[in-house]
C-alpha cells in the first residue's frame, strides 16, 4: 500500500503526461512492477539513469522508504532535476532520494557500489556505456533493468544480444509497459 502523499504525487505526474511533451515516463503499470521488484528483493541501493520529472523515481522511492534504502537518480536536464527534486520532497521522499544533475556517463563514475538494482532509462545509444560502468558495482544477485526493450527493440538489439551472451548474467525480457530487459548478475 503506497503512502497517501506518494500516491498523490504519482497521480499528478500520471495526469501531467497528457500536457507535457517531454515527460517520456514509464507507463504506470511498469512503475508498479518496479515497486514490487524493489520490495521483493529488499533493495537498499538503487541507481536510476534518467530521472525525467520523477515518475519512476516515486515508485522506487516508495519501496526504498520501506526497506530503509536510497535511490540515486540522474538527469542532465536542469529543469527536470529541479522539478523532480521538488516532487520528491513534496512526496516525503527527500531523505530517500538523491538527485544528481549531469551527464550520467560522468556521474555514474562517482556513485559507489554495491548496487542492488540499476535502472537504465535514458539515451539509448549510451546504454552499453551505462551498463559497462554499472555492472562491476552491481552486487552478485543484483540486477540491471533496461527500459524500452519492447518499444525500442531494433535500437537495443545489439545491446540486448550482448547482455544475453554474458556468462556472468541471466537476462530476459519482461513485456510489461515499455518492456524491460532484466539482467541478473549470477552469484
Ligand atoms: C525516458 S526519460 C526518463 C523517464 C523516467 N525514468 C520515468 O519513467 O519517469 C529519459 C531521461 O534521460 C535524460 N538523459 C538523456 N541523456 C542523458 C545523459 N547523458 N545523462 C543523464 N540523463 C540523460 C533525459 O533528460 C530524460 O529526462
Amino acid at each position: 500500500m503506497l503512502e497517501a502523499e506518494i500516491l498523490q504525487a504519482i497521480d499528478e505526474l500520471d495526469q501531467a503526461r497528457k500536457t507535457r511533451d517531454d515527460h517520456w515516463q514509464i507507463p504506470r503499470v511498469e512503475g508498479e512492477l518496479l515497486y514490487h521488484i524493489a520490495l521483493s528483493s529488499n533493495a537498499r541501493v538503487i541507481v536510476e539513469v534518467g530521472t525525467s520529472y520523477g515518475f519512476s523515481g516515486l515508485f522506487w522511492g516508495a519501496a526504498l522508504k520501506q526497506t530503509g534504502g536510497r535511490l540515486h537518480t540522474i538527469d542532465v536536464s536542469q529543469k527536470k532535476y529541479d522539478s523532480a527534486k521538488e516532487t520528491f520532497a513534496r512526496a516525503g521522499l527527500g531523505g530517500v532520494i538523491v538527485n544528481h544533475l549531469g551527464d550520467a556517463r560522468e556521474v555514474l563514475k562517482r556513485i559507489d557500489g554495491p548496487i542492488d538494482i540499476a535502472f537504465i532509462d535514458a539515451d539509448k545509444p549510451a546504454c552499453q556505456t551505462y551498463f559497462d560502468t554499472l555492472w562491476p558495482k552491481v552486487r552478485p544477485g543484483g540486477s540491471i533493468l533496461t527500459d524500452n526493450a519492447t518499444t525500442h527493440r531494433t535500437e537495443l538489439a545489439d545491446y540486448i544480444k550482448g547482455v544475453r551472451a554474458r556468462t556472468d548474467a541471466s537476462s530476459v525480457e519482461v513485456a510489461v509497459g515499455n518492456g524491460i530487459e532484466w539482467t541478473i548478475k549470477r552469484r
Side-chain angles (χ1 to χ4, degrees):
M1 185 74 176
L2 295 170
E3 288 180 16
E5 54 190 354
I6 299 176
L7 195 53
Q8 190 181 334
I10 287 172
D11 285 341
E12 283 172 17
L13 291 199
D14 208 14
Q15 283 299 314
R17 74 171 81 227
K18 294 174 191 158
T19 52
R20 285 177 176 145
D21 59 5
D22 66 344
H23 63 79
W24 307 322
Q25 63 207 30
I26 56 170
R28 189 169 184 140
V29 66
E30 189 177 332
E32 286 161 358
L33 175 65
L34 300 185
Y35 171 70
H36 279 84
I37 290 172
L39 265 191
S40 66
S41 59
N42 198 30
R44 301 290 174 85
V45 178
I46 300 178
V47 176
E48 176 179 80
V49 182
T51 315
S52 195
Y53 291 102
F55 190 68
S56 51
L58 288 168
F59 289 95
W60 292 128
L64 289 164
K65 196 164 186 183
Q66 295 175 55
T67 65
R70 284 275 178 286
L71 171 68
H72 291 271
T73 184
I74 309 162
D75 208 288
V76 74
S77 156
Q78 179 78 56
K79 179 179 75 164
K80 290 180 167 182
Y81 166 88
D82 290 341
S83 177
K85 204 169 173 181
E86 189 273 323
T87 296
F88 295 148
R90 204 159 28 84
L93 293 170
V96 175
I97 301 179
V98 182
N99 289 77
H100 298 264
L101 175 65
D103 188 325
R105 278 168 286 230
E106 292 307 315
V107 177
L108 281 177
K109 293 178 192 167
R110 304 195 294 268
I111 296 178
D112 294 331
I115 295 168
D116 295 302
I117 298 173
F119 183 48
I120 300 176
D121 187 20
D123 46 329
K124 304 311 164 202
C127 270
Q128 190 64 55
T129 304
Y130 299 141
F131 183 96
D132 291 343
T133 309
L134 285 161
W135 190 245
K137 302 181 193 184
V138 172
R139 68 163 170 83
S143 300
I144 292 186
L145 307 176
T146 307
D147 194 39
N148 303 108
T150 307
T151 56
H152 293 58
R153 193 177 295 289
T154 306
E155 222 174 328
L156 291 176
D158 288 346
Y159 168 79
I160 287 171
K161 196 172 163 196
V163 296
R164 290 193 184 172
R166 295 188 72 97
T167 54
D168 61 350
S170 172
S171 198
V172 69
E173 181 178 328
V174 179
V176 172
N178 296 330
I180 297 169
E181 184 70 13
W182 186 349
T183 310
I184 300 176
K185 186 183 264 192
R186 291 189 192 279
R187 291 175 194 275

